[in-house]
Amino acid sequence: MKFKSLKTRILFWFGSITLFILLIFSFSFYYMFENSTYSSFQTKLYKEAIYVKEGFLNSKDNIIKKDELISSNIAILKNDEVLKKTVNFDFNLIRSFINKKSFSLIDNGETILAIYSLKLNDNQKIIVYQDNVDDKLEDIVDIMLVIEPLLFLALLFLGNKVIDKILIPINNISKSAKSISINNFSNTIAKHKHDDEISELIDSFNTMILRLQEGVSNLDRFNNDVSHELKTPLTVIKGEIEITLNKLREPEYYINSLNTINYELNQIENIIENLLLLTKYSKENIQKTFEMSSLDSLLLDTIYFYDTKFKNKNINLIIDKIESVNMEVNPLLFKTIFSNLIDNAIKYSNFNTQINIGLYKNNKIVFYIKDQGVGISKDKIPLITNRFYRVDESRNKNIEGFGLGLSIVKNSVDLHNGKLEINSELNFGTTIKVIL
């Protein structure tokens, strides 16, 4: 059976289990009470039979007198003939039952008859019976038929109230979730007074809202930065085209204009490629791209690629040490890490300075690069791995870039479960470590 409402499902299962337990209890109680009643009557009649055997068997009187120990009708039989009996003993009432078993409870429709037969020898026996036995079992059944439905309904009512109380925080979560939109992340749920699973759910929900707030904030900033970064080259391209088409020009002018347009298009292409690289991999899919790679070989290839840039700024590259390091990584991302860090070190270094590079393995794998460049003020260090962020000291036309390099490095290191450490001092240089 399917129910859409969680409350209905809980109430249905609670009611079913409660009904099952009540039925089991009723049958168990009835069975135990019946056995107890059966045993109680049998013991009582047996004791009276023994009392008669010891006190009246050898008596000359034909009448068994009742006293405080005899409340039933009793007779001593020999060959099914009555030798002695109590005054009210009715042999015809029990004749058909005396040879069946030692004890019987007979419901004759109106009353209950309890009969006990104590065999003395092959010929003699003592018969004890009690008629008009109070049928307490029927009374109990009648009571249970009234009480159990009422008890079941009462439990359902209480269960319904308890479930309502339990579901209050869940309903609050539902209302808050419905009120959330891209423009509204203000609703959080008040703390639960009990430290239980509901409290954990509320904490998780509030944490999710905070993450969504942060994500939307980053997305807004990202969109603004993208718009800003793409707007500049697109404006240049549009301006070049409009000026060029304004009148006929010399061939050299068209060539220069096309070169400018080509340069700006390359800038746009680089921005898009970097953005795609940032979004291509995730924690879930990065493991599939790992392969055993030589990090020292990737680093040396990258250094060789930037050899001309080192020479153009007369930067002295000092390789402190490069050890042989093999590790399962995404080689494209690691080459990007090395490339971005070396490129940044060159861009932000002055002419005739020095850059130190090292790669080694102790307990962990460490790559570091240290320059003597413009450096970064300490308050800006936490921000430089944000997308499109460029510190004020670097925002000039002589230094190319989009502010995506360190963001790509940070994202790539995180995907490899690594750590990025940045230490810098304004006008004295920067040291960056990648620790795996």
Side-chain angles (χ1 to χ4, degrees):
M1 189 176 295
K2 294 182 178 180
F3 301 103
K4 291 184 179 180
S5 168
L6 174 62
K7 175 184 174 181
T8 306
R9 290 201 299 272
I10 295 174
L11 200 58
F12 170 77
W13 285 110
F14 173 77
S16 300
I17 293 170
T18 301
L19 181 61
F20 178 75
I21 292 173
L22 285 175
L23 290 175
I24 292 296
F25 170 78
S26 300
F27 284 114
S28 300
F29 181 79
Y30 181 86
Y31 176 77
M32 288 187 293
F33 190 82
E34 183 182 43
N35 284 344
S36 174
T37 303
Y38 186 95
S39 177
S40 176
F41 274 114
Q42 184 176 6
T43 302
K44 177 179 179 296
L45 298 183
Y46 169 75
K47 288 180 177 179
E48 292 188 11
I50 294 297
Y51 178 74
V52 169
K53 174 186 173 185
E54 293 176 352
F56 295 93
L57 182 62
N58 297 319
S59 172
K60 295 180 180 180
D61 295 333
N62 293 329
I63 301 299
I64 300 174
K65 297 179 180 180
K66 289 187 177 183
D67 55 26
E68 66 274 7
L69 296 179
I70 299 177
S71 60
S72 305
N73 298 305
I74 303 174
I76 301 174
L77 305 184
K78 184 175 183 180
N79 296 324
D80 292 338
E81 294 292 332
V82 176
L83 298 180
K84 299 177 182 181
K85 66 173 183 171
T86 56
V87 174
N88 296 324
F89 186 88
D90 185 356
F91 187 59
N92 293 325
L93 181 63
I94 52 92
R95 185 185 296 274
S96 58
F97 305 110
I98 60 175
N99 294 319
K100 290 186 176 180
K101 49 186 179 180
S102 61
F103 178 74
S104 300
L105 274 176
I106 298 111
D107 185 354
N108 58 15
E110 296 181 358
T111 60
I112 300 294
L113 181 67
I115 305 173
Y116 183 78
S117 175
L118 177 64
K119 190 174 182 181
L120 301 176
N121 52 50
D122 291 340
N123 299 321
Q124 283 185 306
K125 64 181 71 172
I126 298 175
I127 302 297
V128 184
Y129 79 85
Q130 188 171 349
D131 57 356
N132 297 318
V133 174
D134 185 15
D135 190 2
K136 294 181 180 179
L137 284 175
E138 283 192 9
D139 295 338
I140 288 175
V141 170
D142 292 339
I143 292 171
M144 291 175 70
L145 287 175
V146 174
I147 289 179
E148 288 203 354
L150 294 176
L151 180 61
F152 177 70
L153 292 175
L155 289 173
L156 276 185
F157 177 77
L158 292 175
N160 181 63
K161 293 297 181 183
V162 171
I163 292 169
D164 282 339
K165 190 171 183 180
I166 292 173
L167 291 179
I168 286 174
I170 297 178
N171 291 332
N172 290 338
I173 293 174
S174 178
K175 290 177 183 177
S176 297
K178 289 177 181 177
S179 67
I180 289 175
S181 67
I182 195 70
N183 298 316
N184 178 24
F185 286 102
S186 59
N187 288 344
T188 56
I189 302 173
K191 287 281 187 180
H192 194 45
K193 61 182 179 180
H194 302 294
D195 186 15
D196 54 13
E197 290 82 358
I198 297 294
S199 181
E200 291 180 8
L201 178 62
I202 291 173
D203 289 341
S204 299
F205 184 82
N206 288 337
T207 302
M208 180 192 70
I209 291 177
L210 293 176
R211 288 202 303 266
L212 288 173
Q213 287 175 336
E214 182 181 356
V216 170
S217 176
N218 289 337
L219 182 62
D220 289 339
R221 181 173 52 78
F222 175 74
N223 289 336
N224 292 333
D225 287 340
V226 169
S227 300
H228 178 269
E229 295 295 330
L230 293 182
K231 186 176 181 180
T232 301
L234 288 173
T235 301
V236 172
I237 291 171
K238 184 179 180 181
E240 281 292 327
I241 292 174
E242 288 176 350
I243 293 173
T244 304
L245 294 177
N246 190 37
K247 63 179 180 178
L248 289 174
R249 309 279 183 175
E250 295 296 324
E252 291 80 6
Y253 187 91
Y254 289 109
I255 292 173
N256 291 333
S257 181
L258 288 174
N259 283 332
T260 300
I261 293 172
N262 183 58
Y263 173 80
E264 297 298 336
L265 287 173
N266 285 333
Q267 295 288 85
I268 293 174
E269 184 179 12
N270 287 334
I271 291 174
I272 293 173
E273 286 180 354
N274 285 322
L275 288 175
L276 289 174
L277 187 61
L278 277 170
T279 58
K280 182 177 181 181
Y281 299 109
S282 66
K283 285 284 187 181
E284 288 73 27
N285 64 25
I286 188 67
Q287 292 286 341
K288 298 176 182 178
T289 67
F290 280 8
E291 58 184 74
M292 187 59 69
S293 304
S294 172
L295 300 189
D296 51 297
S297 296
L298 292 175
L299 177 57
L300 290 171
D301 288 344
T302 308
I303 292 172
Y304 178 77
F305 178 80
Y306 282 95
D307 183 61
T308 302
K309 287 192 174 184
F310 281 113
K311 291 178 180 177
N312 288 341
K313 296 187 76 170
N314 197 29
I315 293 174
N316 182 25
L317 173 63
I318 297 178
I319 298 177
D320 295 331
K321 57 179 174 180
I322 295 182
E323 297 180 355
S324 177
V325 177
N326 294 308
M327 183 181 178
E328 283 199 351
V329 296
N330 180 305
L332 172 62
L333 287 185
F334 243 88
K335 197 161 186 179
T336 303
I337 291 172
F338 293 144
S339 177
N340 276 300
L341 293 178
I342 292 173
D343 186 57
N344 275 354
I346 295 172
K347 282 193 298 186
Y348 300 118
S349 290
N350 298 319
F351 282 81
N352 305 313
T353 54
Q354 175 180 302
I355 291 177
N356 294 68
I357 288 178
L359 175 68
Y360 61 91
K361 181 178 182 180
N362 288 330
N363 294 329
K364 296 181 179 180
I365 297 170
V366 179
F367 165 74
Y368 67 86
I369 182 166
K370 180 180 180 182
D371 65 55
Q372 297 174 341
V374 297
I376 309 162
S377 60
K378 293 195 181 297
D379 60 315
K380 302 291 178 61
I381 290 177
L383 305 174
I384 61 175
T385 56
N386 294 341
R387 298 178 185 182
F388 295 112
Y389 182 84
R390 299 181 73 195
V391 294
D392 295 337
E393 291 81 4
S394 70
R395 288 187 182 272
N396 61 72
K397 296 297 181 182
N398 297 323
I399 300 178
E400 297 181 352
F402 316 108
L404 286 170
L406 282 177
S407 180
I408 292 173
V409 170
K410 178 68 166 61
N411 187 59
S412 301
V413 172
D414 288 344
L415 288 173
H416 287 83
N417 294 318
K419 182 181 178 183
L420 185 67
E421 289 186 356
I422 302 175
N423 294 294
S424 186
E425 189 175 351
L426 196 60
N427 299 322
F428 285 93
T430 302
T431 300
I432 297 180
K433 284 184 178 181
V434 175
I435 303 171
L436 303 172

